[in-house]
């Protein structure tokens, strides 16, 4: 079986990681090993925070609806209850 040299593949992979890490501080953007760890951590945070964003926006909407419904003498849950009964 012939010998497989994978220098080009490894270099491409490393270059891809370092390109993602542009703008990171210190060795997180220059040294592959720490850059790779930082990329994995950043991608994990990005995944989690995409889900958290939905929760935060829901909280914000509830607060806004609550504040505006109180101007009419209703609390949030009374407003939602009334809205559901109308349907």
């Amino acid at each position: 079986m012939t010998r497989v040299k994978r220098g080009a593949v490894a270099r491409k992979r490393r270059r891809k990681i370092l390109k993602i890490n542009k703008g990171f501080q210190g060795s997180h953007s220059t040294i592959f090993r720490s850059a790779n760890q930082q990329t994995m951590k950043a991608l994990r945070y990005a995944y989690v925070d995409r889900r958290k964003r939905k929760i935060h926006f829901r909280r914000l909407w509830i607060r806004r609806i609550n504040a505006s419904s109180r101007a009419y003498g209703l609390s949030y849950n009374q407003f939602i209850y009334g809205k559901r009964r109308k349907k």
Side-chain angles (χ1 to χ4, degrees), residues 7 11 38 40-41 56 58 61 73 81-82:
R11 191 164 46 253
Q38 210 57 33
M40 288 190 289
K41 191 168 193 173
H56 289 154
R58 185 168 191 270
W61 294 329
Y81 176 73

Side-chain angles (χ1 to χ4, degrees), residues 47-87:
Y47 178 82
V48 169
D49 288 342
R50 278 195 298 275
R51 274 120 194 99
K52 277 188 182 175
R53 187 190 322 148
K54 295 162 182 58
I55 295 166
H56 289 154
F57 269 104
R58 185 168 191 270
R59 267 195 215 155
L60 178 65
W61 294 329
I62 289 171
R63 283 189 187 141
R64 286 180 177 173
I65 293 167
N66 189 25
S68 59
S69 64
R70 281 187 189 275
Y72 295 98
L74 295 169
S75 65
Y76 174 78
N77 64 339
Q78 289 169 336
F79 172 74
I80 295 297
Y81 176 73
K83 192 179 130 216
R84 289 222 172 118
R85 291 217 31 216
K86 286 256 171 149
K87 283 186 179 180

Side-chain angles (χ1 to χ4, degrees), residues 13-45:
R13 184 173 65 93
R14 290 188 192 117
R15 202 177 295 139
K16 183 175 74 173
I17 294 294
L18 291 173
K19 188 179 176 189
I20 291 170
N21 287 30
K22 255 189 182 169
F24 285 28
Q25 283 190 345
S27 64
H28 294 315
S29 63
T30 55
I31 298 171
F32 172 74
R33 197 169 181 179
S34 62
N36 195 31
Q37 290 172 352
Q38 210 57 33
T39 302
M40 288 190 289
K41 191 168 193 173
L43 291 173
R44 195 164 37 243
Y45 274 123

